[in-house]
Amino acid sequence: MNQQTATAAQIAELVKGELKGDPEVVVSRVSSLKDADAQSVSFVGNKKYVNQLDETKAGIVLVNRDLADASTEKHTVIVCENVDYAFTQVIALFGEKAPAWPVGIHPRAVVDPTAKIGANVSIAANAVIDAGAEIADGACIGAGCYVGHDAKIGEGTILYPNVTVMYRCRVGKKCIIHPGVVIGADGFGFVPGPNGLVKVPQTGIVQIDDDVEIGANTTIDRARFDKTWIKSNVKIDNQVMVAHNVVVGESAILVAQCGIAGSSEIGRGAILAAKVGINGHISIGDGCKIAGCSAVQHSMEPGSIAVGIPAESQRQFIARLALPQKLEKLAARVKALEEKN
Amino acid sequence: MNQQTATAAQIAELVKGELKGDPEVVVSRVSSLKDADAQSVSFVGNKKYVNQLDETKAGIVLVNRDLADASTEKHTVIVCENVDYAFTQVIALFGEKAPAWPVGIHPRAVVDPTAKIGANVSIAANAVIDAGAEIADGACIGAGCYVGHDAKIGEGTILYPNVTVMYRCRVGKKCIIHPGVVIGADGFGFVPGPNGLVKVPQTGIVQIDDDVEIGANTTIDRARFDKTWIKSNVKIDNQVMVAHNVVVGESAILVAQCGIAGSSEIGRGAILAAKVGINGHISIGDGCKIAGCSAVQHSMEPGSIAVGIPAESQRQFIARLALPQKLEKLAARVKALEEKN
Amino acid sequence: MNQQTATAAQIAELVKGELKGDPEVVVSRVSSLKDADAQSVSFVGNKKYVNQLDETKAGIVLVNRDLADASTEKHTVIVCENVDYAFTQVIALFGEKAPAWPVGIHPRAVVDPTAKIGANVSIAANAVIDAGAEIADGACIGAGCYVGHDAKIGEGTILYPNVTVMYRCRVGKKCIIHPGVVIGADGFGFVPGPNGLVKVPQTGIVQIDDDVEIGANTTIDRARFDKTWIKSNVKIDNQVMVAHNVVVGESAILVAQCGIAGSSEIGRGAILAAKVGINGHISIGDGCKIAGCSAVQHSMEPGSIAVGIPAESQRQFIARLALPQKLEKLAARVKALEEKN
């Protein structure tokens, strides 16, 4: 822990919240409502946890504006406009920091003499940087990473341990790539040839723009030609599969275990919940939202919402869920008719 | 192979089974019924394989008590109370052993001078043990593994090659962690801030208790704060995704490609079949069973069973499956009414 | 890029296509219709892209025979019998090549003295080849790979970086194994014993035959006994899970994020689309096709098609999709009857 302490007044100022209660209460850690004690600052942003407010021992509780009435006088309360963002600031204040990356190339890293290494770079033991690769200023390459021929890693980007970036792929600035990610493996393409399946050469690259985060063991395949493209600010969770020639628009969110088939486009700000599957060669419009475990077969208009396997509108999905009840009611009406006849 | 041989009498004694047939039959290997020859001991524990009993060439067949009548006089039979457990003992007798881990630190491993290494530890080539990490007595760290700052690996635990354990995470005693597993990557959390998405710091850890097994390429994310917690005896298959702040109860089983979203709790002894998805912030009671490919949206009472997307009870699921037939029957009744009217 | 140029006449000859337009047009790269300029050769093999033909700036367009009428006189056209295969040949002509593997053992690779290394082998930095392993002529082992005790890698096979092949497993000739793949982790097996769950020893191996391709972060578990078997020419995409004792027949195709449970058999030439789940102990016949995101519970006859969760025939699936409309129509008929009565 950071061993830091803060008063309710200081926290209220940090998060620009409205303080109700004792401004002098001192806390030294963040906790969930359930695990909190008098030294804890906690929060509630979701109605389903409101009933824990009565019982929590937290010294300070951050509460979202719309739940402000639910708070009690048992603890000091700070009412926030956006409690999730506010509590994120509090976590940053108290939470234990990740270890710093030591600047320099570890003697047990293997860096090809033709690679270009920027200033203030950290390259850990057993990382391998291949011929012609470029590691920009301030980038950090974890233990056991492989950066392929002529690949480029942007300024301030972090590759956690055991990441693989294949030849010629490009990762932008200030990206965070978690362990086990594979960027630039061959796209999956075979065509029937005269003597069985023929591998389609995958001659393109993966381009990842700035401020992208990619979760552990996610795979992003290189393009058949041209590029598979993850635009800036995209956030990708663990075990996501992005196939060749896919384009993911700015600030889109791909939750864990999603899969996007070849050549599809995901619009700016779209949100794919966990385990979503997207068919190949379709277009998901800007701002679309897709419920978890859905399978999208057809292109979606911007701003639309889809759910189900195969995915349909929420209205259709809810109607489908209600089928057993509807059928039962209809059967009762038929029975009544039969009795009359 | 172990080159061992055993007689039917010896095997019957080992598994505490009831011998029917020749006690002097000698076998030297384990096989499926289909692949067996006279030197094989095989087994049948599942009704669907009973029809192979007539044709198998196995010298000895272990049979579960409830299938004992299905066996013939063609081969020597050993009737067992729990044939799965019995055959497991037989496999251990004949099956080829995994290679032993050489005690000591390979000269090509990279161990930080501040790491604490116990007695009889095996650390393979190209493993990296970072500052402050602790490797307890008898633990084995495979080639290419990374154990981060202040992480702890318990007594007798095995990390197979290319496993990543991030800073401060703790793995208990006698755990088995298969290749490619990532423990302690950042949880996936972003909140809308004044200038776009803001990363929520993930300042907690992953704690894995004793006797846990984790399959290849599974990922278990570190907590936003406090810990993601895998309790003792939990068995996790390959490519499972456990998100931040999840708690998995003792002896729960998570089959391949499951995903559990953030802050959910899985009860003691619960079984999630393959490809199950669990929503965030819900609670799955002790002993629950969830069918493969199901998506659970809401909390489940202890001991309950769920199936489907979205998951419902078995009764509801079966009723839903039967909808086309029910609708057809109802349509016939409507037609009869129409003809009358 | 290869910096190569070719005329329409040369390309038509290469792909054995029928040239319509100017044989002297020169192109120097491959592009999609949308991104093409006058120096590009592009193609259309799918009706949904035909409407881009009018607007593309491509110098040359390859067109499938059945879409030949859709082409215009704006650009030179080459009509092909199998445009996918034809364009694959064109990509190979223009597309940038993967970097060559340097022959020899990198001084920072770790090769056990008892390993057998063939001629013209490439072993990259930080690869670890364990005792008794065999690397056949012309095989390439990427950075950070681990090849376990007595494992065998066949002639001309490529292991991209950070691949793990566990003890005694065998990979055939001319295979391509992408980064992060794990071959031969323990199968997932536990049986209830007298004192809780007992691990079933996984004493078998994985055998991969010739010309198999395996996508990034896929996992193929070793058998309980005998072998998990991937037969020749099988093509496996990323993040696929193949459990213990599964057999996958020749030239089968397993698309991304599929999972096959233990002891099932997949027939020759079967195609499992993305995210398919296959139950354990079942048999999928030769040439079966399974739609994406389907969950197959029961064995399938050769040549059959399945879709849905749980999987059923296409006819049944389409009927099920139409249930809401059918129910609505039936309700209207019931209403009419009620009004009459």
Side-chain angles (χ1 to χ4, degrees), chain C residues 10-319:
Chain C
Q10 289 169 329
I11 292 174
E13 193 184 338
L14 171 72
V15 303
K16 300 192 171 57
E18 178 191 345
L19 180 67
K20 290 181 171 184
D22 180 3
E24 299 305 317
V25 173
V26 173
V27 291
S28 58
R29 62 191 196 95
V30 290
S31 308
S32 65
L33 287 172
K34 215 170 66 177
D35 297 333
D37 62 20
Q39 278 69 52
S40 300
V41 46
S42 190
F43 80 111
V44 58
N46 190 319
K47 274 185 196 166
K48 70 195 294 189
Y49 294 113
V50 160
N51 60 353
Q52 294 181 14
L53 269 175
D54 260 0
E55 299 191 2
T56 185
K57 294 177 181 136
I60 304 175
V61 181
L62 274 60
V63 175
N64 215 46
R65 173 69 65 193
D66 61 338
L67 302 174
D69 294 341
S71 60
T72 73
E73 293 181 6
K74 285 195 185 167
H75 21 254
T76 292
V77 165
I78 300 172
V79 179
C80 309
E81 297 309 318
N82 176 346
V83 78
D84 287 323
Y85 178 58
F87 200 64
T88 288
Q89 295 172 285
V90 176
I91 292 175
L93 189 68
F94 289 113
E96 207 170 356
K97 299 284 180 292
W101 292 78
V103 169
I105 299 175
H106 191 284
R108 294 290 286 274
V110 177
V111 179
D112 189 276
T114 64
K116 292 174 196 155
I117 310 297
N120 300 314
V121 160
S122 175
I123 301 182
N126 291 340
V128 175
I129 313 295
D130 225 322
E134 296 183 29
I135 313 294
D137 297 354
C140 299
I141 311 296
C145 285
Y146 173 76
V147 179
H149 295 76
D150 299 321
K152 294 181 184 178
I153 307 297
E155 278 179 44
T157 282
I158 293 175
L159 268 56
Y160 280 109
N162 290 324
V163 166
T164 302
V165 179
M166 296 298 290
Y167 53 96
R168 290 197 296 268
C169 294
R170 305 178 201 143
V171 180
K173 300 175 185 173
K174 290 181 288 173
C175 293
I176 300 174
I177 315 294
H178 287 285
V181 167
V182 177
I183 295 171
D186 281 353
F188 190 67
F190 302 89
V191 295
N195 306 307
L197 293 172
V198 175
K199 179 175 170 69
V200 178
Q202 304 290 319
T203 67
I205 64 164
V206 175
Q207 175 179 320
I208 292 170
D209 290 346
D210 300 341
D211 296 299
V212 169
E213 182 156 347
I214 304 179
N217 284 350
T218 280
T219 59
I220 303 177
D221 278 357
R222 68 191 311 116
R224 183 156 65 146
F225 50 86
D226 200 356
K227 66 190 174 204
T228 304
W229 190 5
I230 312 293
K231 295 190 181 177
S232 61
N233 283 299
V234 168
K235 309 300 180 187
I236 303 179
D237 200 350
N238 296 0
Q239 298 186 27
V240 170
M241 161 61 186
V242 179
H244 50 175
N245 293 88
V246 164
V247 178
V248 181
E250 289 86 353
S251 301
I253 291 178
L254 312 183
V255 184
Q257 298 179 320
C258 280
I260 305 173
S263 299
S264 282
E265 298 199 21
I266 308 298
R268 184 184 172 104
I271 299 177
L272 278 57
K275 286 182 175 285
V276 162
I278 303 288
N279 202 357
H281 297 275
I282 65 173
S283 171
I284 306 300
D286 292 353
C288 283
K289 291 180 182 171
I290 304 172
C293 298
S294 299
V296 181
Q297 289 186 305
H298 303 293
S299 291
M300 289 172 60
E301 291 298 311
S304 54
I305 294 178
V307 54
I309 301 177
E312 48 196 355
S313 72
Q314 280 177 297
R315 195 184 55 73
Q316 290 171 310
F317 182 74
I318 289 166

Side-chain angles (χ1 to χ4, degrees), chain B residues 84-225:
Chain B
D84 287 323
Y85 179 58
F87 200 63
T88 288
Q89 295 171 285
V90 176
I91 292 174
L93 189 68
F94 290 112
E96 206 169 358
K97 298 283 180 293
W101 293 79
V103 169
I105 299 176
H106 192 282
R108 294 292 286 275
V110 177
V111 179
D112 189 276
T114 65
K116 292 173 197 155
I117 309 297
N120 299 316
V121 160
S122 176
I123 302 182
N126 291 339
V128 175
I129 314 294
D130 225 323
E134 296 182 30
I135 312 295
D137 296 354
C140 299
I141 311 295
C145 285
Y146 173 75
V147 178
H149 295 76
D150 300 320
K152 293 181 185 178
I153 307 298
E155 278 179 44
T157 283
I158 294 175
L159 269 56
Y160 280 109
N162 290 325
V163 166
T164 301
V165 179
M166 295 299 288
Y167 53 97
R168 291 195 296 265
C169 294
R170 304 178 203 145
V171 180
K173 299 175 186 174
K174 291 181 286 173
C175 293
I176 300 174
I177 315 294
H178 287 287
V181 166
V182 177
I183 295 171
D186 281 353
F188 190 66
F190 302 89
V191 295
N195 305 305
L197 293 172
V198 175
K199 179 175 171 67
V200 178
Q202 304 290 320
T203 67
I205 63 164
V206 175
Q207 176 179 321
I208 291 170
D209 291 346
D210 300 341
D211 297 299
V212 170
E213 181 155 350
I214 304 179
N217 284 350
T218 280
T219 59
I220 302 177
D221 278 357
R222 67 192 311 116
R224 184 158 64 148
F225 50 86

